[in-house]
Amino acid sequence: MYIDTHAHLYLQQYDEDIDDTIGQALQAQVTKIFLPNIDSSTISALNGLSDSYEMCYPMMGLHPCSVKENYQEELALAASWLDKRKYYGIGETGIDLHWDTTFKKEQIEAFETQISWAIDRELPIIIHSRKSLDLTIDIIASNKHDKLTGIFHCFNGSIDQCKRVLDCNFFMGLGGVITYKNAGLEDMIGYMPMSHMVLETDAPYLSPVPYRGKRNQSSYIPYIAEKISQVKGMDIADIRQDTTNNALNLFKIDD
Ligand SMILES: [Zn+2]
């Protein structure tokens, strides 16, 4: 079986066909899906989907693109939910300097707050980083702790950045971007040890080839595994097995 470690299947893009979306994932052998939260507007849909499908595992946090003037209230709400029900990770959090740098300082503060939640609760943290990978790694490196681990989601760094992530004992999520022409990630993927790799879709965004530009869904995970197997010259069954074991260990799930 495969695990999709990052999908937003609770968004309105799936309102019409969520049963089919989940059914297609199962047909593609994707049997567990981890759902990162975005902000206060997505919590009830996130919890609802997780209640409806046992294979969906919710995570709680505040996305860096949702860090605005009211970020303290947003963080307080996320923290209150962490006390109310079981979540399997913190996130997604991190730093995004692509769309808007107005709240860079607040994004860093919100990220550090969520790092402390991850340490206190011994939960993996899911990191979003855009135009900020070195800064994000610096922050994780300076918060090093034996209980701190997680995933650099949609990792598209250099070999050097990959090495730095490994030094922090973090995993790297590979998704549809690696299938894009000119992504230029082959050397880094060739270098990345299987021990620290997990698969993800980031659905509904970033569909792999041949669905690039269309709505993404968890059933496309095998296209990502196929690309990794080509780059590494490994059997796709081994890619599946290794990435699934990594995700089960990281999220402390038994089967
Ligand atoms: Zn995401």
Coordinates of all heavy atoms in Angstrom, one line a residue, residues 6 35-37 58-63 75 78-79 82 87-94 110-128 148-151 170 251:
H6 N 0.2 14.1 2.4 CA -0.1 15.5 2.4 C -1.2 15.7 1.3 O -0.9 15.8 0.1 CB 1.1 16.3 2.1 CG 0.9 17.8 2.3 ND1 1.7 18.5 3.2 CD2 0.1 18.7 1.8 CE1 1.4 19.8 3.2 NE2 0.4 20.0 2.3
L35 N -4.0 14.7 6.3 CA -4.6 16.0 5.9 C -4.1 17.1 6.8 O -4.4 17.2 8.0 CB -6.1 15.9 6.1 CG -6.9 14.7 5.6 CD1 -8.4 14.7 6.0 CD2 -6.9 14.7 4.0
P36 N -3.3 18.0 6.2 CA -2.8 19.1 7.0 C -3.9 20.2 6.9 O -4.6 20.4 5.9 CB -1.6 19.6 6.2 CG -1.6 18.9 4.9 CD -2.7 17.9 4.8
N37 N -4.0 20.9 8.1 CA -5.0 22.0 8.1 C -4.4 23.3 7.4 O -3.2 23.3 7.1 CB -5.3 22.4 9.6 CG -6.4 23.4 9.7 OD1 -7.4 23.3 8.9 ND2 -6.3 24.3 10.6
P58 N -6.2 13.5 10.4 CA -6.1 15.0 10.5 C -4.9 15.5 11.2 O -4.4 14.8 12.1 CB -7.4 15.4 11.3 CG -7.6 14.2 12.2 CD -7.2 13.0 11.5
M59 N -4.4 16.7 10.7 CA -3.3 17.3 11.4 C -3.8 18.8 11.7 O -4.7 19.3 11.0 CB -2.1 17.3 10.5 CG -1.7 15.8 10.1 SD -0.1 15.6 9.4 CE -0.4 16.1 7.7
M60 N -3.2 19.4 12.7 CA -3.6 20.8 13.1 C -2.5 21.8 13.1 O -1.4 21.5 13.6 CB -4.3 20.7 14.4 CG -4.9 21.9 15.0 SD -5.9 22.9 13.8 CE -7.3 21.7 13.6
G61 N -2.8 22.9 12.5 CA -1.8 24.0 12.4 C -2.3 25.2 11.6 O -3.5 25.2 11.2
L62 N -1.4 26.2 11.4 CA -1.7 27.4 10.7 C -0.8 27.6 9.5 O 0.5 27.7 9.7 CB -1.7 28.6 11.6 CG -2.0 30.0 11.0 CD1 -3.4 30.0 10.4 CD2 -1.7 31.1 12.0
H63 N -1.3 27.6 8.3 CA -0.5 27.7 7.1 C 0.2 29.1 7.0 O -0.5 30.1 7.4 CB -1.4 27.5 5.9 CG -0.7 27.3 4.6 ND1 0.0 28.3 4.0 CD2 -0.6 26.3 3.8 CE1 0.5 27.9 2.8 NE2 0.1 26.6 2.7
L75 N -3.7 31.1 16.0 CA -2.9 30.1 16.7 C -3.6 29.6 17.9 O -3.6 28.4 18.2 CB -1.6 30.7 17.1 CG -0.6 30.9 15.9 CD1 0.6 31.7 16.4 CD2 -0.1 29.6 15.4
A78 N -6.2 27.0 16.9 CA -5.5 25.7 16.5 C -5.1 25.0 17.8 O -5.3 23.8 17.9 CB -4.4 25.9 15.6
A79 N -4.5 25.7 18.7 CA -4.0 25.1 20.0 C -5.2 24.5 20.7 O -5.1 23.4 21.3 CB -3.3 26.2 20.8
L82 N -6.1 21.2 19.4 CA -5.2 20.1 19.7 C -5.5 19.5 21.0 O -5.2 18.3 21.3 CB -3.7 20.7 19.7 CG -3.1 20.9 18.4 CD1 -1.9 21.8 18.5 CD2 -2.7 19.6 17.7
Y87 N -4.9 14.5 16.8 CA -4.3 14.9 15.5 C -3.0 14.2 15.4 O -2.4 13.9 16.4 CB -4.1 16.5 15.5 CG -5.5 17.2 15.4 CD1 -6.0 17.7 16.5 CD2 -6.1 17.3 14.2 CE1 -7.3 18.4 16.5 CE2 -7.4 18.0 14.1 CZ -7.9 18.5 15.3 OH -9.1 19.2 15.2
Y88 N -2.6 14.0 14.2 CA -1.4 13.1 13.9 C -0.2 13.9 13.6 O 0.9 13.3 13.4 CB -1.7 12.1 12.8 CG -2.7 11.1 13.3 CD1 -4.1 11.4 13.3 CD2 -2.3 9.9 13.9 CE1 -5.0 10.5 13.8 CE2 -3.3 9.0 14.4 CZ -4.6 9.3 14.3 OH -5.5 8.4 14.8
G89 N -0.3 15.2 13.5 CA 0.8 16.1 13.2 C 0.5 17.5 13.4 O -0.7 17.9 13.6
I90 N 1.5 18.4 13.4 CA 1.3 19.8 13.5 C 1.6 20.4 12.1 O 2.6 20.1 11.4 CB 2.3 20.4 14.4 CG1 2.2 19.9 15.8 CG2 2.2 22.0 14.5 CD1 0.9 20.2 16.5
G91 N 0.6 21.2 11.6 CA 0.8 21.8 10.3 C -0.5 21.9 9.5 O -1.5 21.6 9.9
E92 N -0.3 22.5 8.2 CA 1.0 22.8 7.8 C 1.4 24.2 8.3 O 0.6 25.2 8.3 CB 1.2 22.7 6.3 CG 0.3 23.5 5.4 CD 0.5 23.2 4.0 OE1 1.5 23.5 3.4 OE2 -0.5 22.6 3.4
T93 N 2.7 24.3 8.6 CA 3.3 25.6 9.0 C 4.6 25.8 8.1 O 4.8 25.1 7.2 CB 3.6 25.5 10.5 OG1 4.3 26.7 10.9 CG2 4.5 24.3 10.9
G94 N 5.3 26.9 8.5 CA 6.5 27.2 7.7 C 6.5 28.6 7.3 O 6.0 29.5 8.0
A110 N 4.9 32.5 14.2 CA 3.9 31.4 14.2 C 4.6 30.0 13.9 O 4.2 29.0 14.5 CB 2.9 31.7 13.1
F111 N 5.6 30.0 13.1 CA 6.3 28.8 12.8 C 7.0 28.3 14.1 O 6.9 27.1 14.5 CB 7.4 29.0 11.7 CG 8.2 27.9 11.3 CD1 7.7 26.6 11.3 CD2 9.5 28.1 10.8 CE1 8.5 25.5 10.9 CE2 10.2 27.0 10.3 CZ 9.7 25.7 10.4
E112 N 7.7 29.2 14.8 CA 8.4 28.8 16.0 C 7.4 28.3 17.1 O 7.7 27.4 17.9 CB 9.3 29.9 16.5 CG 10.5 30.1 15.6 CD 11.5 31.0 16.0 OE1 11.2 32.1 16.5 OE2 12.7 30.7 15.8
T113 N 6.2 29.0 17.2 CA 5.2 28.5 18.1 C 4.8 27.1 17.8 O 4.7 26.3 18.7 CB 4.0 29.5 18.0 OG1 4.4 30.8 18.4 CG2 2.8 29.0 18.9
Q114 N 4.6 26.8 16.5 CA 4.1 25.5 16.2 C 5.2 24.5 16.3 O 5.0 23.3 16.6 CB 3.6 25.5 14.7 CG 2.2 26.3 14.7 CD 1.7 26.5 13.3 OE1 1.0 25.6 12.8 NE2 2.0 27.7 12.7
I115 N 6.5 24.9 16.2 CA 7.6 24.0 16.5 C 7.5 23.6 18.0 O 7.7 22.4 18.3 CB 9.0 24.6 16.2 CG1 9.2 24.8 14.7 CG2 10.1 23.8 16.8 CD1 10.4 25.6 14.3
S116 N 7.2 24.5 18.9 CA 7.2 24.2 20.3 C 6.0 23.2 20.6 O 6.1 22.3 21.4 CB 7.1 25.4 21.1 OG 5.8 26.0 21.0
W117 N 4.9 23.4 19.8 CA 3.8 22.4 20.0 C 4.2 21.0 19.6 O 3.9 20.0 20.2 CB 2.6 22.8 19.1 CG 1.9 24.1 19.4 CD1 2.1 24.9 20.5 CD2 0.9 24.7 18.6 NE1 1.3 26.0 20.4 CE2 0.5 25.9 19.2 CE3 0.3 24.4 17.3 CZ2 -0.4 26.8 18.7 CZ3 -0.6 25.3 16.8 CH2 -1.0 26.5 17.5
A118 N 4.9 20.9 18.5 CA 5.4 19.6 18.0 C 6.3 18.9 19.0 O 6.2 17.7 19.2 CB 6.1 19.8 16.6
I119 N 7.2 19.7 19.6 CA 8.1 19.1 20.6 C 7.3 18.7 21.9 O 7.4 17.6 22.3 CB 9.2 20.2 21.0 CG1 10.1 20.4 19.8 CG2 10.0 19.7 22.2 CD1 11.1 21.6 20.0
D120 N 6.4 19.6 22.4 CA 5.7 19.3 23.6 C 4.8 18.1 23.4 O 4.6 17.3 24.3 CB 4.8 20.5 24.0 CG 5.6 21.7 24.5 OD1 6.8 21.5 24.7 OD2 5.1 22.8 24.5
R121 N 4.2 18.0 22.2 CA 3.2 16.9 22.0 C 3.8 15.7 21.3 O 3.1 14.7 21.0 CB 2.0 17.5 21.2 CG 1.2 18.5 21.9 CD 0.2 19.2 21.1 NE -0.4 20.3 21.8 CZ -1.5 20.2 22.5 NH1 -2.1 19.0 22.6 NH2 -2.0 21.2 23.2
E122 N 5.1 15.8 21.0 CA 5.8 14.7 20.3 C 5.1 14.3 19.0 O 4.8 13.1 18.7 CB 6.0 13.5 21.2 CG 6.8 13.9 22.5 CD 7.2 12.7 23.4 OE1 7.1 11.5 22.9 OE2 7.4 12.9 24.5
L123 N 4.7 15.3 18.3 CA 4.0 15.1 17.0 C 5.0 15.6 15.8 O 5.7 16.6 16.0 CB 2.7 15.9 16.9 CG 1.6 15.4 17.8 CD1 0.4 16.4 17.7 CD2 1.1 14.0 17.3
P124 N 4.9 14.9 14.7 CA 5.7 15.4 13.6 C 5.2 16.8 13.1 O 3.9 17.0 13.1 CB 5.6 14.3 12.5 CG 4.3 13.6 12.9 CD 4.2 13.7 14.4
I125 N 6.0 17.6 12.6 CA 5.6 18.9 12.0 C 5.7 18.9 10.5 O 6.7 18.4 10.0 CB 6.4 20.0 12.7 CG1 5.9 21.4 12.4 CG2 7.9 19.9 12.4 CD1 6.5 22.5 13.2
I126 N 4.7 19.5 9.9 CA 4.7 19.5 8.4 C 5.0 20.9 7.9 O 4.3 21.9 8.2 CB 3.3 19.1 7.9 CG1 2.8 17.8 8.6 CG2 3.3 19.0 6.4 CD1 3.7 16.6 8.5
I127 N 6.2 21.0 7.2 CA 6.7 22.3 6.9 C 6.5 22.7 5.4 O 6.9 21.9 4.5 CB 8.2 22.3 7.2 CG1 8.4 22.0 8.7 CG2 8.9 23.6 6.8 CD1 9.9 21.8 9.0
H128 N 5.9 23.8 5.2 CA 5.7 24.4 3.9 C 6.8 25.5 3.8 O 6.9 26.4 4.6 CB 4.3 25.0 3.8 CG 4.1 25.9 2.6 ND1 3.2 25.6 1.6 CD2 4.6 27.2 2.3 CE1 3.2 26.6 0.7 NE2 4.0 27.5 1.1
L148 N 12.0 16.5 18.0 CA 11.6 17.3 16.9 C 11.9 16.6 15.5 O 13.1 16.5 15.2 CB 12.2 18.7 16.9 CG 11.7 19.7 15.8 CD1 10.2 19.9 15.8 CD2 12.5 21.0 15.8
T149 N 10.8 16.2 14.8 CA 11.0 15.7 13.5 C 9.8 16.0 12.7 O 8.8 16.6 13.2 CB 11.3 14.2 13.5 OG1 11.6 13.7 12.2 CG2 10.2 13.4 14.1
G150 N 9.8 15.7 11.4 CA 8.6 15.9 10.6 C 9.0 15.9 9.1 O 9.9 15.1 8.7
I151 N 8.3 16.6 8.3 CA 8.4 16.5 6.8 C 8.6 17.9 6.2 O 7.8 18.8 6.5 CB 7.2 15.9 6.2 CG1 6.9 14.5 6.7 CG2 7.3 15.9 4.7 CD1 5.6 13.9 6.3
F170 N 15.0 15.2 9.6 CA 13.7 15.4 9.0 C 13.5 14.6 7.8 O 14.5 14.2 7.1 CB 13.5 16.9 8.7 CG 12.8 17.6 9.8 CD1 13.4 17.8 11.1 CD2 11.5 18.1 9.6 CE1 12.7 18.4 12.1 CE2 10.8 18.8 10.7 CZ 11.5 19.0 11.9
F251 N 4.5 8.9 11.7 CA 3.2 9.2 12.3 C 2.7 8.3 13.4 O 1.6 8.4 13.9 CB 2.1 9.3 11.2 CG 2.2 10.4 10.3 CD1 2.6 10.2 8.9 CD2 2.0 11.7 10.7 CE1 2.8 11.3 8.1 CE2 2.2 12.8 9.8 CZ 2.5 12.6 8.5

